[in-house]
Amino acid sequence: MSAPVLSQQELEQQLSQLSGWRVKDKKLYRQFQFPDFVSAFGFMSSMALVSESMGHHPEWFNVYNRVSVELTTHDSGGITHKDVEWARKANSLANF
Ligand SMILES: C[C@H](O)[C@H](O)[C@H]1CNC2=NC(N)=NC(=O)C2=N1
């Protein structure tokens, strides 16, 4: 059984507690900016391990000190609590 897609109301409630994240093209989206490339890549390395343990993986793009992230739950066809959980962990790891 895949996780249920969040309703608009649930999504808005979650977004109000997730600084920096918004919905873009039906995915959770945020751009992180770090002091330099090594910090950005360190963040990605840490979140790679988190992703593996969650069984939930981002679509992301890195240029130098920036990392943009898109999250959706493919199995469910939309944004679920798994995306919210990933976003929360990413914010905490990036110290935002
Ligand atoms: C079998 C495996 O757990 C699934 O395919 C996982 C892997 N990682 C995933 N990551 C994301 N973002 N969405 C998924 O639906 C998903 N499914």
Side-chain angles (χ1 to χ4, degrees):
M1 258 281 280
S2 54
V5 172
L6 297 182
S7 69
Q8 188 63 31
Q9 193 185 343
E10 288 169 325
L11 197 49
E12 279 166 21
Q13 155 71 16
Q14 294 297 337
L15 277 174
S16 71
Q17 297 167 42
L18 270 180
S19 75
W21 291 85
R22 63 184 171 89
V23 175
K24 182 187 167 198
D25 300 332
K26 299 188 174 171
K27 295 174 182 175
L28 266 192
Y29 172 86
R30 169 162 194 173
Q31 181 170 281
F32 292 95
Q33 189 161 326
F34 298 91
D36 51 35
F37 174 71
V38 169
S39 311
F41 206 88
F43 166 77
M44 294 176 84
S45 300
S46 300
M47 284 311 296
L49 300 179
V50 170
S51 302
E52 216 28 42
S53 74
M54 288 179 67
H56 200 65
H57 305 86
E59 299 166 38
W60 55 8
F61 186 71
N62 163 240
V63 180
Y64 182 49
N65 64 337
R66 282 176 288 126
V67 180
S68 52
V69 184
E70 291 182 358
L71 299 169
T72 184
T73 305
H74 304 110
D75 298 349
S76 308
I79 298 169
T80 69
H81 74 89
K82 288 188 183 179
D83 302 301
V84 171
E85 193 182 330
W86 198 102
R88 213 180 280 127
K89 288 179 175 169
N91 273 13
S92 136
L93 220 128
N95 278 321
F96 292 116

